[in-house]
Amino acid sequence: MAKKNNDLAHTKWMCKYHIVFTPKYRRKMIYNQLKMDIRDILKQLCSYKGVEIIEGHIMPDHIHILFDAKPNLNLAEFVNAFKSASSRNIRKQFSEELKPYYWKPYFWSLSYFIGTVSDRTSTAVKEYIKNQKNE
């Protein structure tokens, strides 16, 4: 059953998604220099969109996020807005550091993975995301 805070007058929902996306050219610089700042930017954008991050992990060349969202969220629009807004913020904050690596105004690659997660598999996905560093 959906959690109590995930309901409206006539609707209950439990919509969890696992998203994976990479920086352009899979540059490994996000892990070392920019990890904490990128994490803060992504958290801020998710809270702005009303998306609750359940679990997330920044790897050297990709990012995993498990999140909970309302059922009326258009996933393609959310991912597009999420990646473009975070790219703008990252490039604004770190323009000098990124200039030698990213000469075009993009930070994220165009591709991404998104999958739905059921209540039964959410713990397995959480563990998978947590243990990414070990694999």
Side-chain angles (χ1 to χ4, degrees):
M1 191 59 135
K3 293 187 288 186
K4 181 67 176 158
N5 61 356
N6 286 349
D7 62 353
L8 295 172
H10 304 286
T11 309
K12 288 190 181 285
W13 72 85
M14 187 183 64
C15 300
K16 294 180 184 175
Y17 304 98
H18 177 209
I19 185 170
V20 181
F21 52 96
T22 62
K24 194 92 167 153
Y25 315 118
R26 284 186 87 98
R27 301 265 188 208
K28 296 186 189 296
M29 66 182 308
I30 66 169
Y31 190 71
N32 297 328
Q33 297 99 332
L34 314 175
K35 180 180 178 179
M36 293 303 175
D37 296 313
I38 290 175
R39 184 197 68 183
D40 295 338
I41 289 169
L42 297 178
K43 279 185 175 180
Q44 180 185 17
L45 290 171
C46 281
S47 68
Y48 179 72
K49 287 286 192 179
V51 170
E52 176 193 350
I53 295 177
I54 299 169
E55 189 69 44
H57 197 77
I58 297 178
M59 293 300 295
D61 62 347
H62 64 282
I63 294 178
H64 288 267
I65 300 174
L66 176 64
F67 65 92
D68 191 10
K70 292 183 180 179
N72 62 351
L73 179 74
N74 184 330
L75 291 174
E77 285 179 11
F78 168 72
V79 171
N80 184 29
F82 184 73
K83 287 171 63 176
S84 62
S86 64
S87 179
R88 270 193 309 276
N89 289 347
I90 291 166
R91 291 187 61 80
K92 188 189 308 180
Q93 267 186 320
F94 305 104
S95 62
E96 291 304 313
E97 293 93 336
L98 297 175
K99 195 175 280 189
Y101 305 105
Y102 299 98
W103 50 91
K104 292 185 180 179
Y106 308 109
F107 184 75
W108 303 114
S109 67
L110 295 176
S111 59
Y112 62 91
F113 163 80
I114 193 160
T116 57
V117 178
S118 71
D119 197 32
R120 289 183 180 183
T121 59
S122 66
T123 55
V125 172
K126 277 189 217 177
E127 288 301 314
Y128 171 73
I129 292 172
K130 283 181 188 176
N131 296 325
Q132 274 293 294
K133 208 181 258 188
N134 302 334
E135 292 184 14

